[in-house]
Amino acid sequence: MSLFKGLMKPKTDPFIDHLNRQAEIVTKGLKYLVEYMANPNADNAAAVKRAEEEADEERRLLIDELNRTFVTPIDREDLHNLSRCIDDLLDYANSTVEEMVTLRVAPNEHFQHMSTLMFDAANEIHLAMQRLESHPNVATEHARRAKGVENRMEREYHRAIAELFEGPANPESIICMLKKREVYRHLSNAADRADEAANVISNIVVKMT
């Protein structure tokens, strides 16, 4: 009986499998980013980098599968765009760490808050991917929450920038301001990709239902 049930159980779409795995890796990588902001050491920086490379490989597998498949259950452009947006989230996380190391920028409370928001957005995207096939309306709800996180990130970004320009205008402070502004931009751009991924998920659900 158990074998019969196993044979009757519907198979998960391989593209959704790849996207789900990609989103899982990205969420893991952003957790490492949060840890780096709390403890900016080489091990945490390396963990973000490893996750970014792992996610890149998963994206390569999806693109290869896409190139070898003539008919896909989800629009090809949607698959490609969603994978790109999810991948960009972790690319920005990795470049954020690289910028901070290169420019010798120490984490502050804004960096910590913004990285936590990035993790929250990635987690909502991952949850949406897990439920896309079986509960598409729930997937849409998680996509909506990811968009809400992007709005919170925008507010935090503006607060951080406003605080940055309230400082003294001597040359040393200006250099420090410019460095921090670059990092803030990386984090804000990552949230934009989460918002874009959420839009693609919503479009997929509309086409599926």
Side-chain angles (χ1 to χ4, degrees):
M1 180 64 72
S2 60
L3 177 60
F4 178 75
K5 287 183 178 180
L7 292 173
M8 293 298 292
K9 185 178 180 180
K11 293 183 178 179
T12 305
D13 177 76
F15 293 105
I16 292 181
D17 275 344
H18 283 303
L19 287 168
N20 186 29
R21 175 61 180 155
Q22 193 180 354
E24 179 184 7
I25 296 167
V26 169
T27 303
K28 178 180 67 175
L30 289 176
K31 183 176 182 293
Y32 292 141
L33 176 67
V34 172
E35 292 175 0
Y36 176 84
M37 292 301 184
N39 188 11
N41 59 39
D43 288 342
N44 286 334
V48 176
K49 179 63 176 177
R50 286 195 302 271
E52 189 264 343
E53 292 172 348
E54 188 179 352
D56 281 347
E57 181 65 15
E58 193 64 34
R59 174 164 163 75
R60 291 186 193 99
L61 293 172
L62 183 145
I63 296 301
D64 181 65
E65 189 82 24
L66 192 60
N67 290 336
R68 293 189 292 109
T69 304
F70 184 70
V71 178
T72 59
I74 296 174
D75 184 88
R76 300 175 69 87
E77 185 176 356
D78 287 339
L79 286 169
H80 188 278
N81 288 341
L82 182 54
S83 176
R84 174 183 54 80
C85 293
I86 293 173
D87 187 64
D88 283 348
L89 269 168
L90 194 45
D91 284 346
Y92 273 114
N94 184 57
S95 62
T96 294
V97 173
E98 289 179 344
E99 287 283 338
M100 292 178 72
V101 171
T102 301
L103 299 176
R104 298 180 181 178
V105 176
N108 60 26
E109 61 178 290
H110 293 299
F111 292 143
Q112 291 168 350
H113 189 197
M114 293 172 82
S115 63
T116 300
L117 288 173
M118 278 179 63
F119 170 79
D120 291 343
N123 190 51
E124 292 295 344
I125 296 298
H126 184 208
L127 289 170
M129 293 312 309
Q130 288 179 316
R131 284 136 180 84
L132 186 59
E133 274 192 307
S134 59
H135 299 89
N137 290 331
V138 178
T140 299
E141 175 61 22
H142 285 297
R144 186 189 65 78
R145 291 182 184 180
K147 290 177 70 66
V149 172
E150 193 274 339
N151 291 333
R152 288 155 56 197
M153 175 71 90
E154 191 69 14
R155 291 194 294 270
E156 181 65 20
Y157 172 74
H158 288 145
R159 279 196 293 267
I161 293 296
E163 181 182 299
L164 198 59
F165 283 89
E166 288 174 355
N170 57 65
E172 183 177 346
S173 296
I174 291 173
I175 292 172
C176 182
M177 287 166 51
L178 293 174
K179 290 179 179 180
K180 288 182 178 179
R181 186 178 67 175
E182 285 302 305
V183 179
Y184 289 143
R185 282 179 174 173
H186 277 291
L187 293 167
S188 179
N189 287 338
D192 290 340
R193 295 302 183 272
D195 182 75
E196 189 177 348
N199 288 336
V200 178
I201 290 170
S202 297
N203 290 338
I204 291 172
V205 171
V206 169
K207 295 173 183 178
M208 289 173 60
T209 56

